[in-house]
């Protein structure tokens, strides 16, 4: 199979680089300065076992490849706010032998949140979800890093909305030989919702920096608890903390990498790069949506969603809001909720 990595940023670049390193055929999809750097110097992958440069085909549009191949696997690794544009671009692409990518090719959503699979299933017949447990960074144009060892990451995958098949097992086999653990599960959404709860603090980290200290950790726990209450009210299953620890153990331990500054998660990186957008609508906003559908107040996630979007829109520096101010705003949000509910 040939893997077309749509969005060769941090996650897509690391997955593509590791697949290429194990002998898989890989095409990277990128744009702007990152695309230019990939074409000029190759994909530079920094990992605990060294730095590797992979010179791979790099495109921006399907037309640059001509017809897609019947054995292509499309890996959607853009941020969720960019999914619709990517699906519109790649879904109608012609495939050798007839038909389009949406009709004939598997689409694997390797992203945070749960929304992209629902978007994809409107047009793509074969959609796969991935729970992405992969600490990684886009260091600079053309350079990505992943500090996990002995495994680079753990990627649960399965059909969306449920089930498994031979394609999932073939993809998993390629990932397994590429420094990943890739369990094929019939209920991948259960793992993705567990990851969603963990990702709810991405916005907190983005606006106020590392989640350390009593105040930040306390707020993070409350944000996650609010999310769990919403999933419970909606009847949505998710892997609990004990099950996650049992599966992950110490398989992905972070190792300091030379030349890679310590940064933050995906939302922090969006602010750091000044992209103007952030994925909070599909993380904290997912909880807000479910809360409204099921009558559960979500003041903390509402607040973080608004703040993260404001920071992105105004291109504020990541971590520039003091934790004390964020805690104050959280208290006001809680008081507003109590007042509106008549408590």
């Amino acid at each position: 199979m040939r893997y077309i990595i749509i969005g060769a940023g941090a996650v897509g670049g690391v997955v593509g680089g590791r697949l290429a390193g194990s002998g898989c055929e890989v095409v990277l999809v990128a744009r702007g300065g990152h695309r230019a750097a990939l074409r000029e110097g190759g994909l530079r992958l920094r990992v605990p076992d060294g730095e590797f440069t992979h010179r791979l085909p790099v495109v921006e549009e399907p037309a640059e490849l001509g017809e897609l191949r019947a054995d292509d696997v499309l890996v959607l690794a853009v941020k969720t706010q960019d999914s619709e544009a990517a699906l519109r671009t790649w879904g109608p692409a012609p495939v050798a032998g007839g038909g389009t990518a949406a009709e004939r090719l598997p689409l694997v959503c390797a992203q945070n949140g749960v929304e992209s699979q629902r978007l994809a299933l409107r047009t793509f017949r074969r959609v796969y979800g991935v729970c992405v447990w992969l600490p990684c960074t886009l260091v600079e144009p053309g350079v990505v890093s992943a500090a996990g060892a002995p495994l680079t990451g753990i990627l649960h995958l399965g059909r969306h909305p449920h089930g498994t098949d031979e394609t999932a097992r073939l993809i998993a086999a390629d990932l397994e030989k590429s420094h990943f653990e890739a369990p094929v599960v019939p209920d991948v959404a259960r793992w993705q919702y567990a990851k969603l709860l963990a990702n709810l603090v991405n916005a907190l980290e983005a606006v106020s920096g590392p989640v350390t200290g009593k105040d930040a950790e306390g707020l993070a726990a409350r944000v996650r608890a609010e999310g769990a209450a919403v999933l419970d009210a909606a009847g949505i299953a998710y892997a609990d903390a004990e099950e996650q620890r049992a599966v992950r153990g110490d398989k992905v331990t972070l190792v300091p990498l030379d030349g890679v500054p310590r940064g933050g998660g995906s939302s922090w990186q969006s602010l750091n790069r000044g992209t103007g957008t952030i994925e909070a609508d599909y993380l904290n906003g997912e909880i807000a949506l479910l809360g409204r559908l099921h009558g559960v107040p979500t003041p903390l996630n509402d607040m973080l969603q608004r703040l993260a979007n404001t920071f992105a829109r105004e291109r504020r520096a990541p971590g520039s809001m003091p934790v004390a101010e964020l805690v104050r705003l959280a208290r006001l949000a809680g008081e507003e909720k109590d007042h509106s509910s008549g408590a």
Side-chain angles (χ1 to χ4, degrees), residues 271-298:
L271 293 184
N272 191 52
R273 294 197 302 274
T275 62
T277 66
I278 200 165
E279 60 189 339
D281 286 348
Y282 304 99
L283 301 177
N284 308 93
E286 181 70 27
I287 295 302
L289 169 63
L290 289 170
R292 291 166 194 148
L293 289 173
H294 297 279
V296 180
T298 59

Side-chain angles (χ1 to χ4, degrees), residues 113-114 117 129-132 156-163 183-198 231 235-244 247-248:
V114 296
Q117 292 134 190
V130 180
C131 176
V132 181
H156 287 75
L157 74 154
R159 285 290 295 261
H160 178 78
H162 49 74
V184 177
V185 294
D187 55 352
V188 67
R190 198 169 66 88
W191 290 92
Q192 290 176 305
Y193 277 106
K195 179 74 184 319
L196 173 65
L197 292 179
L231 296 187
I236 295 173
Y238 53 93
D240 61 27
E242 183 178 346
E243 184 178 5
Q244 293 179 71
V247 168
R248 291 173 180 143

Side-chain angles (χ1 to χ4, degrees), residues 62-223:
E64 297 174 59
L65 292 172
E67 285 187 321
L68 300 180
R69 295 178 357 197
D71 65 345
D72 282 339
V73 175
L74 304 183
V75 180
L76 188 64
V78 299
K79 296 291 177 59
T80 302
Q81 62 267 28
D82 297 320
S83 288
E84 286 190 274
L87 292 168
R88 284 195 301 269
T89 297
W90 288 87
V95 179
T100 66
E103 293 168 329
R104 295 188 55 196
L105 301 183
L107 179 81
V108 179
C109 296
Q111 303 160 286
N112 286 334
V114 296
E115 181 63 20
S116 280
Q117 292 134 190
R118 295 192 292 234
L119 293 171
L121 206 59
R122 294 176 186 274
T123 50
F124 276 81
R125 295 180 180 176
R126 298 162 61 198
V127 177
Y128 299 78
V130 180
C131 176
V132 181
W133 189 260
L134 171 55
C136 56
T137 304
L138 175 59
V139 180
E140 61 187 69
V143 184
V144 296
S145 71
L151 293 176
T152 298
I154 300 177
L155 307 174
H156 287 75
L157 74 154
R159 285 290 295 261
H160 178 78
H162 49 74
T164 64
D165 62 14
E166 184 62 18
T167 297
R169 287 185 282 273
L170 290 171
I171 294 169
D174 282 342
L175 291 170
E176 294 271 4
K177 68 181 185 182
S178 305
H179 297 269
F180 295 102
E181 186 170 288
V184 177
V185 294
D187 55 352
V188 67
R190 198 169 66 88
W191 290 92
Q192 290 176 305
Y193 277 106
K195 179 74 184 319
L196 173 65
L197 292 179
N199 286 147
L200 295 180
V201 300
N202 285 21
L204 193 163
E205 178 192 53
V207 302
S208 290
V211 183
T212 57
K214 181 179 178 181
D215 287 345
E217 290 173 356
L219 179 56
R222 289 163 55 204
V223 169

Side-chain angles (χ1 to χ4, degrees), residues 207-329:
V207 302
S208 290
V211 183
T212 57
K214 181 179 178 181
D215 287 345
E217 290 173 356
L219 179 56
R222 289 163 55 204
V223 169
R224 289 192 181 111
E226 188 178 88
V230 166
L231 296 187
D232 291 342
I236 295 173
Y238 53 93
D240 61 27
E242 183 178 346
E243 184 178 5
Q244 293 179 71
R245 283 193 297 269
V247 168
R248 291 173 180 143
D250 56 359
K251 298 172 184 176
V252 184
T253 300
L254 298 187
V255 177
L257 299 175
D258 292 338
V260 179
R262 182 177 177 82
S266 57
S267 297
W268 185 96
Q269 292 178 47
S270 292
L271 293 184
N272 191 52
R273 294 197 302 274
T275 62
T277 66
I278 200 165
E279 60 189 339
D281 286 348
Y282 304 99
L283 301 177
N284 308 93
E286 181 70 27
I287 295 302
L289 169 63
L290 289 170
R292 291 166 194 148
L293 289 173
H294 297 279
V296 180
T298 59
L300 298 180
N301 281 280
D302 292 350
M303 177 198 71
L304 286 175
Q305 181 185 4
R306 289 194 302 270
L307 283 174
N309 280 320
T310 298
F311 267 60
R313 185 173 59 252
E314 298 179 357
R315 288 175 167 79
R316 297 189 195 178
S320 55
M321 175 175 283
V323 171
E325 173 63 8
L326 188 59
V327 170
R328 184 186 74 82
L329 293 175

